[in-house]
Amino acid sequence: LAHYMHVAFQMRARYGAATIYLATDDPKVETDIRDNTTYPGWTILSNPDVNREWYQPSAWHKYGRNHKGAGAKHRSDPQFQAGFVEKRLRAGDGDPERLGAEAVMDIELLSGCDMFIGTLSSTLGRTAFEVMAGRLGYVPPFASLDRHGWFYAQGKCREGGNETKVSCPKPTWISGKTHGGA
């Protein structure tokens, strides 16, 4: 959260951003971002109907999603084996209609913003950003917080410029016409 908010404060200084639409599956982020002593002066909007606890099964919290280093006991845990949302839904855990509606709502609300701070390696984030750019008619100010950058041919790049693969581009700020806000 600190990294996101650092970039948010930069967006505020550069473009006057004052409102954040928060799309997260982490209940702690939802609580922490509303702390006005740590992050003062922001209006935080989010979907209050999202069940963020569903996205936090104990196996993911303790060992990480599909963590190969977990012991055999933990690998045999059905929730651990289910892994990502799609696998959990196939295993009968969760309501596909509700989760689909939550995803569509987040994409719709994120894409209605004037700026984007997120990860373009996330299908939800990337989709929202692309719809946002289409609606605005230009690429809005954005910051992708993917560790080493991201682009459509991600699988064809390698850090360090290996001879057989191109170097991964680094994330950069893109400024453009903006309507203020975030």
Side-chain angles (χ1 to χ4, degrees):
L1 176 61
H3 189 195
Y4 281 80
M5 292 308 295
H6 173 74
V7 175
F9 279 105
Q10 290 177 327
M11 289 271 197
R12 175 191 280 172
R14 191 166 189 171
Y15 303 106
T19 302
I20 293 173
Y21 177 75
L22 178 68
T24 184
D25 58 6
D26 188 337
K28 183 168 176 13
V29 169
E30 172 82 14
T31 302
D32 290 353
I33 198 170
R34 294 182 187 281
D35 178 358
N36 282 329
T37 59
T38 306
Y39 305 114
W42 292 96
T43 300
I44 307 298
L45 306 174
S46 64
N47 181 352
D49 295 328
V50 172
N51 178 7
R52 290 176 178 80
E53 295 300 327
W54 184 85
Y55 297 93
Q56 306 301 311
S58 60
W60 288 7
H61 176 72
K62 290 180 183 175
Y63 308 105
R65 293 180 182 173
N66 299 322
H67 190 278
K68 293 178 182 171
K73 177 182 175 188
H74 300 296
R75 285 194 309 266
S76 65
D77 179 331
Q79 279 191 321
F80 184 80
Q81 288 179 343
F84 290 101
V85 171
E86 296 84 358
K87 291 180 182 178
R88 290 182 66 196
L89 288 172
R90 277 194 296 273
D93 182 15
D95 178 358
E97 288 181 26
R98 179 186 177 108
L99 294 175
E102 289 173 358
V104 168
M105 184 174 293
D106 274 344
I107 290 168
E108 179 68 19
L109 293 171
L110 281 169
S111 69
C113 297
D114 297 318
M115 298 167 220
F116 179 84
I117 301 170
T119 53
L120 294 177
S121 61
S122 157
T123 301
L124 189 139
R126 190 172 59 255
T127 301
F129 179 72
E130 290 171 351
V131 172
M132 177 191 303
R135 282 186 175 166
L136 294 171
Y138 56 87
V139 176
F142 75 97
S144 179
L145 301 182
D146 295 302
R147 184 167 176 222
H148 295 295
W150 184 89
F151 69 109
Y152 282 105
Q154 179 114 3
K156 297 181 180 181
C157 72
R158 180 175 307 268
E159 293 298 319
N162 183 316
E163 295 296 320
T164 60
K165 295 189 177 196
V166 299
S167 295
C168 294
K170 301 296 180 208
T172 59
W173 288 87
I174 291 183
S175 58
K177 184 175 116 185
T178 181
H179 303 291

